[in-house]
Amino acid sequence: MSFRTLHDRGVIARYSDYLPVTEATPVVSLNEGSTPLIHSPKLSAKVGRGCEVYIKYEGLNPTGSFKDRGMTVALSKALEDGARAVICASTGNTSAAAAAYAARANMTCIVLLPAGKISFGKLVQAFMYGAKVVAIDGNFDDALRLVREIGETEPIAVVNSINPHRLQGQKTASFEIIEELGDAPDVHILPVGNAGNISAYWLGYQEFYALKKSTRMPVMLGFQAAGSAPIFHQKVIERPETVATAIRIGNPASWDKANDAIAQSGGAVDIVTDEEILAAQFWLASNEGIFVEPASASSIAGLLKSLDPKSARAYDAAQFPEGSKIVCVVTGHGLKDPDVGKEQCEKVISARAERSEILRLIG
Ligand code: F0G
């Protein structure tokens, strides 16, 4: 049976014509992709001038983040090439996806994580999917350096986004957006960490534009956490810090590609503080019913910053043409990192188990 019939809903089946696969490729899929593009009436109203804001909810992928799009291609190609084991460095989402797809492919998965800096939800995923988890006394950048070195000498496939198959898979999110909107958006906003995703989206937008499946290419706006912003500062950050642990990265692998995407699209990279990230996370959940992890909320925080004339913004949203379509990508599910929401739980109202008491307390 071909992959079309076995996995008729994953990104390889949906976009095989645009991916480095053949009928001989053994497809490892969890029916990832085809995530919802949700209209946000409240963000649209904030932007005004007839602009419409859409949220691409990538947290609804099978392991809870956008990484599944790239991992289906990376693991399928690794299997096709005869690899028996894969390795990655991760801030938690890449490792969850690698472990899940490796489990499905009967491959060994080794993950290198910065000790103590992975949210519990993501750590549990790696173990549950059966990965060998190594916590190093260094940060993500150290882990990625080690993975590159090990990949050079050992018969283990590296499935970080330095593996070009990852970006190929991830570019399919641009295709979905174009197909759903009928054209590319005017503005595309997303968080930036290791910079693979911004590079992949740009690849996808360029490809569909060249094929005349869209008539424009969006302005790309990337947001980094203020304490982990190497691309914004154009210098390596030795000790990156942020509550958004997914993007706690000081030396991104796809730095040059991200610079190109920003320059070619006429966009910008800007920073958002941890406070702005957490405020945007809570705002999005409590106003639009979309719960995302902190790193993902940086795209929303970024849009709000671009709208604020009092902020030192790198890009002024007043430059968005009237009636613009704006897509904010939210990359990972909020349940990945529930600890950051603990403060909200302090609002709990305690009561005796009595109807009258409850009615009095809830007003
Ligand atoms: N959002 C989330 C939820 C992420 O997990 C990541 C990256 C990003 C955004 C940034 O994407 O790296 O392509 O610029 N997480 C990687 C990981 C580093 O190991 O899971 P990027």
Side-chain angles (χ1 to χ4, degrees):
M1 219 186 293
S2 81
F3 61 72
R4 281 169 219 277
T5 44
L6 268 177
H7 299 292
D8 61 347
R9 289 175 51 226
V11 300
I12 294 181
R14 187 167 172 187
Y15 293 113
S16 61
D17 292 348
Y18 311 98
L19 294 171
V21 295
T22 67
E23 289 286 333
T25 307
V27 175
V28 185
S29 170
L30 287 162
N31 290 0
E32 61 294 315
S34 303
T35 54
L37 187 66
I38 305 170
H39 182 247
S40 169
K42 288 173 188 153
L43 285 173
S44 302
K46 278 183 192 285
V47 180
R49 298 184 299 114
C51 295
E52 300 294 346
V53 179
Y54 298 84
I55 311 283
K56 182 71 170 160
Y57 195 11
E58 287 288 279
L60 293 194
N61 275 296
T63 76
S65 88
F66 71 99
K67 305 287 182 178
D68 296 343
R69 292 180 185 276
M71 220 45 90
T72 181
V73 181
L75 265 286
S76 299
K77 294 303 285 184
L79 196 59
E80 184 175 2
D81 296 343
R84 296 302 313 138
V86 297
I87 189 168
C88 65
S90 185
T91 55
N93 281 324
T94 297
S95 46
Y101 285 76
R104 214 165 151 83
N106 296 317
M107 291 168 92
T108 301
C109 178
I110 301 143
V111 303
L112 260 61
L113 310 174
K117 294 294 182 180
I118 305 297
S119 74
F120 186 60
K122 298 173 192 176
L123 193 60
V124 165
Q125 283 184 292
F127 284 108
M128 291 303 288
Y129 295 133
K132 284 193 179 129
V133 178
V134 182
I136 64 157
D137 59 347
N139 59 30
F140 170 84
D141 305 293
D142 299 318
L144 185 56
R145 179 177 44 77
L146 290 162
V147 162
R148 282 182 200 262
E149 288 172 17
I150 292 166
E152 274 169 22
T153 57
E154 308 303 314
I156 309 176
V158 174
V159 293
N160 278 104
S161 55
I162 51 175
N163 175 335
H165 298 311
R166 281 276 313 281
L167 300 197
Q168 288 295 315
Q170 284 173 212
K171 76 182 179 187
T172 59
S174 301
F175 298 167
E176 289 176 15
I177 292 169
I178 289 170
E179 288 177 351
E180 197 144 346
L181 294 178
D183 204 339
D186 301 272
V187 183
H188 182 103
I189 303 179
L190 81 172
V192 175
N194 209 27
N197 212 27
I198 187 169
S199 308
Y201 270 103
W202 187 238
L203 202 65
Y205 284 127
Q206 284 177 305
E207 197 167 322
F208 262 26
Y209 181 77
L211 292 168
K212 300 201 166 23
K213 288 177 172 287
S214 59
T215 67
R216 57 175 170 247
M217 293 206 277
V219 166
M220 301 293 287
L221 300 183
F223 287 90
Q224 302 199 289
S228 306
I231 299 181
F232 176 77
H233 294 296
Q234 287 293 311
K235 70 169 204 292
V236 172
I237 306 295
E238 297 292 345
R239 282 185 194 74
E241 273 312 334
T242 170
V243 67
T245 52
I247 52 172
R248 184 177 167 272
I249 294 173
N251 189 9
S254 298
W255 194 327
D256 291 342
K257 290 195 183 81
N259 281 344
D260 288 350
I262 295 299
Q264 291 166 12
S265 75
V269 164
D270 202 350
I271 49 173
V272 282
T273 64
D274 281 3
E275 293 70 33
E276 288 168 328
I277 289 172
L278 293 176
Q281 181 193 31
F282 181 62
W283 186 91
L284 189 67
S286 57
N287 281 278
E288 296 287 26
I290 301 172
F291 183 28
V292 303
E293 65 169 284
S296 310
S298 60
S299 59
I300 307 301
L303 174 61
L304 297 176
K305 180 179 180 183
S306 306
L307 286 166
D308 179 3
K310 293 196 295 293
S311 73
R313 59 207 160 158
Y315 197 95
D316 180 351
Q319 291 181 61
F320 300 164
E322 219 176 288
S324 281
K325 289 204 165 73
I326 300 156
V327 170
C328 294
V329 180
V330 289
T331 44
H333 202 287
L335 293 175
K336 289 266 191 183
D337 191 3
D339 287 346
V340 297
K342 267 186 185 152
E343 212 175 277
Q344 298 298 335
C345 300
E346 286 164 17
K347 296 176 187 166
V348 65
I349 302 166
S350 303
R352 284 193 308 277
E354 268 171 31
R355 183 175 182 274
S356 58
E357 158 106 335
I358 292 165
L359 287 178
R360 184 181 62 77
L361 285 168
I362 63 178

